[in-house]
Amino acid sequence: MIPRYAPTYTFNDLLNGLKQSSDPDIENKLIARLKSYYNVRHAFLFGSGREALYAVLKAYNRPGGVLIPAYNCIVVPEAIQFAGYRPVFVDIERNSLCMTAENVKKSLSSDVQAVFLTHIFGIPCEIQEILDVLIKQNKDILIVEDAAPAIGAEYNGQVVGSFGDASVISFQSTKVISGEIGGALLTNNENLAEKLKGLKLEAVGPGSDWMLFIKALARKFVTSRNVYELAQFGYRTLRGEKMYEIVPPKVQKPKGFLSRCPSFSCALVFLQLDRLRWNLERRRNLALIYQNELSKHTEVSLPEIAQACDPAWIQYPILVDDKLSFYKHMQRNQIDVSWTYRYSCAESFGIKGFPNSIHAAETIIGLPTSPFISDEQAMEICRVANQFRGR
Ligand SMILES: *Cc1c(COP(=O)(O)O)cnc(C)c1O
């Protein structure tokens, strides 16, 4: 079975990563590489992207509203609340799947202190249009790019993550570069950087590099073609094949929130930065195949990508009205697809409205864009998808 995602590390990376995790300088080496790639003066590593988002709000220290798209990962509004702020939801555009400048403008109230420019699935949002709206406001608002899924995506030829006051990237296993866990915060803002240096991080416990190594090894194993079918059967079938849900947000900050990025994750990401160009090119190729081969499908809508945007594609989202039948059809043909995200964050927070976010949650299916998927496999995925006729 073709897996819906696969981590980007190889078995070899895992062994080398474990070896390099004992290098006391590995964190600094990764920081130096990130600073040079993003052309920023400061980079800080954390245990996850959500912790980096939390950290920048804590450093900013002006509690109030934070604008985010309602179609989003639930951990984002959770992190906003943990930091003592309030998520203010903004609807997305039906086909671009991103928050629009127009909706940002409508949601700006005097209480709003920060805006997260969210590049969902690695698709850049309309950065310039949103910046224009914010500049016209003439109010001091913190602009953070949530580029967690978008390492290497570009907007007007400039890498995303270099537009706001600060930006966040993630090394979680489903993102552009899998470090198993981890994230980073990038900024040129000296005030924020000073405050960030003062934040107290939880240490990562001894042995955690070994634990992560074993976890990553297990993930690599269960996402290999032969074992995957059984593994995902267990996960999906036992958990229930829900195509839409309401996810109650966590109210308590989990234990160990705001921790350091483990050395093993640093090493794993560091090693894979050498392959970033290849990684992104594979993802773009696969997306192009999906776009070309599925453009005439009457049951499937494709995301609309603005001219200025060159996404990083952690998956290729398509919109299918009869999502459950489509998923089952693909499964019968040995292809797994993603249901992420199958909720609207606004609804999960008990707030009504946001029809485009609910529509996305109800209809999005993610096609795999792992760099290890071959063009032939992508063609096979399209061939099977094109056989789908709906109910
Ligand atoms: C994955 C993701 C996050 C969170 O990253 P973690 O490292 O899993 O905490 C935040 N925002 C977006 C848009 C994401 O895709």
Side-chain angles (χ1 to χ4, degrees):
M1 179 171 268
I2 300 179
R4 70 179 179 279
Y5 91 97
T8 56
Y9 41 71
T10 62
F11 284 112
N12 217 1
D13 292 330
L14 296 182
L15 291 174
N16 280 335
L18 191 61
K19 217 186 303 169
Q20 294 208 14
S21 66
S22 57
D23 175 352
D25 219 27
I26 189 66
E27 279 184 33
N28 290 331
K29 283 180 180 166
L30 177 58
I31 285 174
R33 285 289 289 274
L34 292 175
K35 286 204 287 202
S36 122
Y37 182 75
Y38 284 98
N39 192 22
V40 289
R41 283 195 295 276
H42 306 280
F44 299 89
L45 298 172
F46 294 95
S48 63
R50 66 199 76 172
E51 287 161 85
L53 290 169
Y54 167 92
V56 69
L57 291 178
K58 275 291 188 196
Y60 191 56
N61 195 25
R62 274 166 45 180
V66 181
L67 290 192
I68 54 168
Y71 186 66
N72 207 334
C73 185
I74 191 80
V75 305
V76 175
E78 283 175 353
I80 290 170
Q81 281 200 330
F82 296 159
Y85 293 69
R86 184 173 63 87
V88 178
F89 297 103
V90 178
D91 207 4
I92 58 167
E93 204 274 315
R94 197 169 163 105
N95 300 310
S96 78
L97 310 177
C98 287
M99 185 165 87
T100 62
E102 204 185 315
N103 289 343
V104 166
K105 196 170 170 182
K106 279 188 223 153
S107 311
L108 273 175
S109 66
S110 56
D111 172 51
V112 169
Q113 301 292 349
V115 176
F116 287 179
L117 304 181
T118 307
H119 311 310
I120 202 85
F121 303 131
I123 305 170
C125 64
E126 46 182 35
I127 299 175
Q128 194 54 56
E129 287 84 347
I130 298 175
L131 291 180
D132 288 346
V133 163
L134 295 175
I135 288 162
K136 277 212 194 91
Q137 282 296 306
N138 206 10
K139 185 176 173 264
D140 207 10
I141 292 179
L142 178 74
I143 300 167
V144 179
E145 270 184 88
D146 182 355
I151 294 177
E154 289 183 6
Y155 182 82
N156 282 331
Q158 185 181 335
V159 66
V160 308
S162 56
F163 288 89
D165 297 309
S167 62
V168 165
I169 54 175
S170 166
F171 312 130
Q172 191 252 341
S173 49
T174 64
K175 312 287 174 160
V176 175
I177 300 177
S178 336
E180 190 54 29
I181 63 168
L185 178 70
L186 314 160
T187 185
N188 272 324
N189 184 307
E190 298 298 337
N191 284 337
L192 283 177
E194 262 329 291
K195 296 266 176 53
L196 283 157
K197 279 176 200 155
L199 280 184
K200 207 174 133 334
L201 299 189
E202 297 253 353
V204 202
S208 77
D209 285 333
W210 268 99
M211 288 275 287
L212 277 171
F213 169 75
I214 288 162
K215 266 192 178 168
L217 202 61
R219 191 182 304 281
K220 189 74 193 159
F221 182 67
V222 299
T223 51
S224 65
R225 280 199 78 164
N226 301 324
V227 189
Y228 185 74
E229 189 165 359
L230 187 66
Q232 71 86 39
F233 172 82
Y235 180 76
R236 288 260 167 103
T237 311
L238 301 178
R239 217 165 157 263
E241 295 178 325
K242 261 187 277 172
M243 292 292 128
Y244 185 78
E245 55 184 357
I246 292 173
V247 182
K250 287 196 187 83
V251 280
Q252 277 287 316
K253 205 163 59 173
K255 214 172 150 276
F257 200 85
L258 208 60
S259 56
R260 288 177 42 229
C261 185
S263 301
F264 176 67
S265 296
C266 294
L268 212 46
V269 174
F270 182 74
L271 289 166
Q272 293 179 76
L273 280 171
D274 288 336
R275 290 204 300 273
L276 179 58
R277 192 187 279 267
W278 164 83
N279 178 335
L280 290 165
E281 201 164 292
R282 284 304 308 145
R283 293 177 189 277
R284 282 165 180 152
N285 257 333
L286 296 170
L288 203 61
I289 291 175
Y290 295 141
Q291 200 178 309
N292 289 337
E293 299 298 318
L294 299 177
S295 63
K296 294 199 182 66
H297 203 311
T298 52
E299 302 292 322
V300 167
S301 317
L302 306 183
E304 270 171 24
I305 307 302
Q307 194 80 46
C309 299
D310 192 359
W313 301 115
I314 59 160
Q315 51 177 272
Y316 186 81
I318 59 174
L319 297 93
V320 190
D321 282 338
D322 190 358
K323 180 159 113 172
L324 181 61
S325 302
F326 182 85
Y327 155 70
K328 297 227 174 221
H329 167 78
M330 299 303 278
Q331 284 268 312
R332 275 194 301 275
N333 290 281
Q334 294 289 299
I335 295 160
D336 194 23
V337 292
S338 167
W339 312 328
T340 302
Y341 301 100
R342 53 190 184 276
Y343 52 79
S344 150
C345 288
E347 195 176 42
S348 293
F349 272 71
I351 305 170
K352 290 264 180 298
F354 310 93
N356 293 342
S357 297
I358 290 177
H359 177 256
E362 285 174 339
T363 60
I364 280 186
I365 285 277
L367 301 180
T369 53
S370 151
F372 299 121
I373 303 261
S374 66
D375 289 1
E376 290 70 30
Q377 285 177 313
M379 289 298 284
E380 167 69 5
I381 290 168
C382 293
R383 189 186 64 76
V384 172
N386 276 322
Q387 285 170 348
F388 177 69
R389 288 285 162 268
R391 261 192 290 245

